[in-house]
Amino acid sequence: MPHVSSSGGDDLCSTDEVKVFKDEGDGEDEKRSSENLTEEKSSLIDLTESEEKSGGNYSSNKHVSRADHSPVFGKVEPAPHTSSFNMGYLMSPYSYANGAAGPIQAGKMGLGPTHPGAALPFFCPNGDPLSQPPPAHMGIPPYQLDGKAGTMGLTRPPMYPFSAGQYPYPMLSPDMSQVAASWHTPSMYPLSPSAGFRSPYPTTLPISTSSLPTDLYRFSPTSLIPPHPGLSPHGPHLGSHPAIVTPGPKQELPDLNHRYARAQIDQKNNVGDNKNNQDGTNAGEKKKPHIKKPLNAFMLYMKEMRAKVVAECTLKESAAINQILGRRWHSLSREEQAKYYEKARQERQLHMQLYPGWSARDNYGYGTKKKKRKKERTTVESGGNNMKKCRARYGLDQQSQWCKPCRRKKKCIRYLESGDGNDGNQSDDNLGSCGSVGDAHTPPEEDGESLSQSMSSPGALSGLSSLTSPGGIILPSPSTSVASPSVSAASPYMLQSPLTPHEAFECKLPPAPPLLHQQPPRNPVGTNPHDINNPLSVNQLTGQCVKNEPPDGGGKDPTRSIISVT
DNA sequence: GCGCCTTTGAAGTGT
DNA sequence: ACACTTCAAAGGCGC
């Protein structure tokens, strides 16, 4: 399918970028941008401070890695839609506080020269660093590892080597009306296993318990449910009036319905049809109906935009599409994102009302066993041999491997370190770097998950290496960014792997120049004590063996190979 | 047929 | 309080 932009978003690349710039250029935004740049930097460094500034409105999810998102909204100033913005937490955990992040793009741009090519891959679709700042509203782009990194635009490289160019800012703007309309589409929850009812609710309607008749659950979706008084005109009818919505939303409708349908399917467990249950009456005797989690803002956005993206690119793989959507999500304006947050909030609210006793925990372990390995591994890592003193670990035969103190029959530093319970890998792990470090970084599962972890600690950024795209892009050791906060190092690393020819073709975009690959990033020596490759690392300094082989070497997923940069 | 991949966010568990 | 994990959607892909 040709790269069409029926939506008017048209040029997925350039146009959108321009838009972004425009955004920033807007006086206020711009101001904030520069102001916040600094603020942002420090914010990440000192979250507490930011929180203070923001009124403590950061998400309860304190993942630092995620936290960097919060600022996005944390920055949002109660704008036109103040009313909704003032919903406080309800609005979203990231309650538009005046946090730090925010439009740092301008700032980034300013830094551009300093970091030529810095965030290039992500926000510089055209390879022009200056043209690709993260969206103004974004604040700290996700995975921008740390404040300093922020300036460097150290972003998380997608697994799928899309070039930024592929992630044009679709900008809902032209389509916002559609989007807005789509928000009026019913949100569905499988209220009744049999009916697979998805209860619609108006976006604008403040949901109160009273407003949600319990009977609601029993009726089939669209037809039987009388529109709530507060329902928007299209409310429940959207499904039947696709005309109301433009392509985007239109697509969504089926989508939502699909979800609905799926929900029903999911409820196959629910033995029958009648287990509706939110009260989980006896019908659920055999199995509790599987009540899905309410969709979060991004999920809602994805559902809505997926079709569009799919249409724009010929890509079909959800993983790839999701990457694009992730980018787009960040490119959305604050207001636009806010709308999704609002919608998500309402979803949660409704969900809560529909399933008062439901807890996300209920879904834990639903249908999968995956990730157990992780735990096992973790246990092994934390426990195991690594905890032993050198003597126990290596035995008398391998005294050469003992740490010096051990050799001198003194306190085993490795043992002590591990015993410290320090999170890091500097301890035994580190020491254990021989085995465990590698392991620690290797497991594919760890990539994503421990990503946040690694990112959370500036020094542990090496985890980023796991983010290397399949294309074998070299990721700089995050430590670099840590090391030189203000400058350098990062730029070259912002790698986004260029599109593969195939991918480029898929999205009708030219593959990004592989220039980034040409600058092997170099870590300033000794910047990250956690970095096993760091000659000055604890490992090295303590005479521990260092595992140089790519941490991922043992990884299960070849596509996530980690290339350690030394 | 099932799990992985990939994204963000919410909410859970664990320390 | 913080770190980490799971799940939500989606659909191609590999085993």
Side-chain angles (χ1 to χ4, degrees):
Chain A
M1 195 172 178
H3 172 228
V4 185
S5 27
S6 50
S7 57
D10 315 331
D11 191 324
L12 290 181
C13 305
S14 49
T15 303
D16 292 327
E17 288 160 19
V18 171
K19 283 180 186 174
V20 170
F21 264 115
K22 270 196 169 181
D23 259 353
E24 294 173 348
D26 280 355
E28 202 175 312
D29 264 324
E30 197 170 14
K31 261 191 188 172
R32 274 199 308 260
S33 296
S34 35
E35 286 175 10
N36 289 327
L37 175 58
T38 5
E39 222 178 303
E40 177 183 9
K41 284 186 187 175
S42 58
S43 76
L44 285 183
I45 296 169
D46 183 352
L47 185 57
T48 310
E49 193 178 313
S50 314
E51 285 187 71
E52 277 178 17
K53 275 189 179 179
S54 66
N57 264 335
Y58 275 86
S59 157
S60 56
N61 283 342
K62 291 279 183 180
H63 309 178
V64 175
S65 63
R66 297 294 190 202
D68 51 7
H69 295 272
S70 27
V72 171
F73 269 93
K75 281 220 138 305
V76 176
E77 296 176 345
H81 315 35
T82 307
S83 53
S84 59
F85 279 41
N86 284 337
M87 300 179 95
Y89 172 78
L90 285 182
M91 184 54 227
S92 108
Y94 312 142
S95 319
Y96 313 96
N98 291 327
I104 59 172
Q105 293 69 21
K108 285 190 176 184
M109 291 169 64
L111 291 174
T114 315
H115 311 285
L120 188 64
F122 280 93
F123 297 102
C124 300
N126 293 329
D128 174 2
L130 293 180
S131 69
Q132 337 182 4
H137 65 289
M138 280 199 51
I140 303 169
Y143 303 113
Q144 220 150 348
L145 301 186
D146 56 58
K148 310 128 200 164
T151 66
M152 305 189 292
L154 183 51
T155 55
R156 176 181 179 179
M159 294 308 194
Y160 284 76
F162 289 115
S163 78
Q166 290 184 10
Y167 309 108
Y169 308 100
M171 297 294 75
L172 299 179
S173 31
D175 303 328
M176 272 325 282
S177 56
Q178 300 171 10
V179 172
S182 72
W183 287 340
H184 292 279
T185 57
S187 155
M188 333 290 195
Y189 288 107
L191 297 179
S192 154
S194 56
F197 165 73
R198 303 181 66 181
S199 78
Y201 56 78
T203 318
T204 56
L205 177 64
I207 296 175
S208 67
T209 312
S210 60
S211 71
L212 294 170
T214 51
D215 288 347
L216 197 63
Y217 320 133
R218 304 193 166 45
F219 301 124
S220 77
T222 52
S223 55
L224 297 180
I225 300 176
H228 184 284
L231 285 178
S232 77
H234 346 326
H237 307 295
L238 274 184
S240 50
H241 301 294
I244 293 178
V245 247
T246 51
K250 242 199 255 171
Q251 295 166 339
E252 181 191 6
L253 287 173
D255 203 29
L256 289 175
N257 290 331
H258 181 54
R259 180 189 172 197
Y260 168 62
R262 290 201 107 183
Q264 284 185 297
I265 293 171
D266 287 337
Q267 294 191 350
K268 56 194 170 190
N269 332 347
N270 304 345
V271 186
D273 275 321
N274 24 5
K275 353 214 135 136
N276 207 5
N277 25 38
Q278 78 182 35
D279 30 32
T281 54
N282 47 11
E285 45 188 352
K286 285 187 182 178
K287 250 190 179 180
K288 255 189 175 180
H290 180 65
I291 298 168
K292 298 200 172 188
K293 293 175 70 173
L295 302 187
N296 63 37
F298 178 69
M299 287 293 151
L300 291 170
Y301 171 74
M302 277 212 316
K303 286 180 70 72
E304 190 172 298
M305 302 304 290
R306 173 179 298 281
K308 206 173 177 181
V309 171
V310 169
E312 287 167 352
C313 300
T314 57
L315 290 172
K316 296 291 179 193
E317 284 187 67
S318 284
I321 298 295
N322 290 348
Q323 278 197 346
I324 293 172
L325 288 169
R327 295 284 173 85
R328 290 190 175 191
W329 171 252
H330 289 294
S331 74
L332 289 180
S333 70
R334 295 167 292 206
E335 290 77 13
E336 289 163 344
Q337 282 192 344
K339 288 173 185 172
Y340 287 95
Y341 278 108
E342 169 64 3
K343 193 179 180 184
R345 180 189 66 80
Q346 292 183 347
E347 284 255 355
R348 287 195 302 275
Q349 241 184 349
L350 176 61
H351 192 278
M352 219 188 313
Q353 290 175 359
L354 296 180
Y355 312 104
W358 181 89
S359 153
R361 179 179 51 182
D362 298 345
N363 291 1
Y364 271 39
Y366 170 78
T368 21
K369 303 147 196 167
K370 62 181 173 183
K371 310 225 164 168
K372 287 199 172 172
R373 280 174 298 164
K374 196 175 295 179
K375 274 188 179 177
E376 290 169 11
R377 176 175 53 67
T378 304
T379 350
V380 171
E381 276 174 22
S382 55
N385 238 358
N386 295 334
M387 296 301 289
K388 296 179 182 176
K389 296 178 182 176
C390 292
R391 184 190 182 105
R393 189 190 305 180
Y394 301 110
L396 295 172
D397 317 348
Q398 304 177 42
Q399 288 189 36
S400 58
Q401 308 228 15
W402 293 12
C403 63
K404 288 183 180 178
C406 274
R407 282 184 232 163
R408 295 176 185 175
K409 297 186 177 179
K410 295 193 174 179
K411 266 194 174 183
C412 175
I413 58 174
R414 296 178 188 177
Y415 179 78
L416 287 175
E417 283 172 321
S418 33
D420 283 346
N422 66 38
D423 46 1
N425 301 324
Q426 358 192 340
S427 61
D428 204 9
D429 245 13
N430 170 2
L431 312 169
S433 51
C434 302
S436 18
V437 164
D439 292 352
H441 294 284
T442 333
E445 313 103 310
E446 190 146 339
D447 294 349
E449 277 129 59
S450 64
L451 174 61
S452 56
Q453 184 182 358
S454 347
M455 292 162 82
S456 62
S457 84
L461 297 179
S462 50
L464 272 187
S465 53
S466 61
L467 294 175
T468 314
S469 76
I473 289 163
I474 296 177
L475 249 190
S477 153
S479 58
T480 305
S481 53
V482 172
S484 42
S486 53
V487 211
S488 62
S491 40
Y493 310 161
M494 313 299 34
L495 352 143
Q496 145 95 24
S497 42
L499 282 181
T500 64
H502 170 69
E503 286 158 351
F505 171 79
E506 291 289 9
C507 275
K508 314 297 181 224
L509 293 172
L515 65 144
L516 294 178
H517 297 270
Q518 297 162 5
Q519 304 182 11
R522 227 177 160 53
N523 284 338
V525 173
T527 54
N528 180 6
H530 295 210
D531 183 346
I532 59 173
N533 291 321
N534 174 3
L536 297 180
S537 69
V538 175
N539 266 355
Q540 300 275 2
L541 293 175
T542 55
Q544 309 307 324
C545 63
V546 173
K547 191 171 184 176
N548 282 325
E549 69 184 59
D552 203 35
K556 296 163 188 171
D557 187 347
T559 64
R560 293 189 173 190
S561 62
I562 296 173
I563 298 173
S564 59
V565 178
T566 55

